[in-house]
Amino acid sequence: MKACFEALGNQFVARKEKDLYIPFLKLEKIGQQILLPKIILFINNGKVKIGRPYLKNLYILAEVIGHSKDKKIIVFKKKRRKGYKLKKGHRQKMTKIKILSIVKKRITRNLLNGT
């Protein structure tokens, strides 16, 4: 069973018990469970469901494992014969999540936190 979902403008493939790096979720704490509602594609035992644009009543339950930074990207600008050079680096913040399950009904935030 696997699903393709959208998070913060990027698409990812989720499998149960796998870890993923997604763009930084600044409001989520380590150990907190989150619900990802934007499922684009769902495959289960060879049966494929495609959303238009998203599948209804299907959600991914994940747990935030940690926050880190991605590898450094070097941005280098140069204008020839002008003596202009500019070198900058950038490290994107990422959130590591673990996919717990793919659920077929909406879970409220109270049930996620155990209260």
Side-chain angles (χ1 to χ4, degrees), residues 18-36:
K18 294 290 180 179
D19 296 344
L20 284 175
Y21 284 97
I22 62 172
F24 186 65
L25 301 171
K26 66 179 179 180
L27 298 178
E28 309 302 335
K29 296 183 174 83
I30 296 174
Q32 183 177 357
Q33 292 182 351
I34 58 173
L35 207 57
L36 303 167

Side-chain angles (χ1 to χ4, degrees), residues 7-105:
L8 300 171
N10 298 322
Q11 294 179 2
F12 302 95
V13 176
R15 291 189 178 99
K16 190 174 180 184
E17 301 297 322
K18 294 290 180 179
D19 296 344
L20 284 175
Y21 284 97
I22 62 172
F24 186 65
L25 301 171
K26 66 179 179 180
L27 298 178
E28 309 302 335
K29 296 183 174 83
I30 296 174
Q32 183 177 357
Q33 292 182 351
I34 58 173
L35 207 57
L36 303 167
K38 295 184 177 181
I39 309 286
I40 300 167
L41 177 81
F42 179 66
I43 301 171
N44 189 12
N45 296 329
K47 295 180 183 177
V48 179
K49 291 183 182 179
I50 300 173
R52 293 184 181 94
Y54 305 113
L55 290 169
K56 295 179 182 176
N57 299 325
L58 199 62
Y59 305 93
I60 293 177
L61 182 63
E63 180 182 358
V64 176
I65 296 176
H67 302 292
S68 64
K69 288 187 176 182
D70 203 6
K71 61 183 179 181
K72 185 174 258 191
I73 297 171
I74 303 297
V75 179
F76 184 74
K77 297 179 180 181
K78 180 181 178 182
K79 294 189 180 185
R80 60 187 193 150
R81 297 187 298 271
K82 305 295 183 201
Y84 173 78
K85 289 189 239 176
L86 181 68
K87 182 179 177 182
K88 289 186 176 181
H90 176 75
R91 291 183 72 188
Q92 187 69 33
K93 291 182 179 179
M94 306 294 280
T95 298
K96 186 175 183 180
I97 62 171
K98 182 174 186 170
I99 306 298
L100 299 176
S101 65
I102 300 171
V103 293
K104 294 187 179 180
K105 63 178 183 175

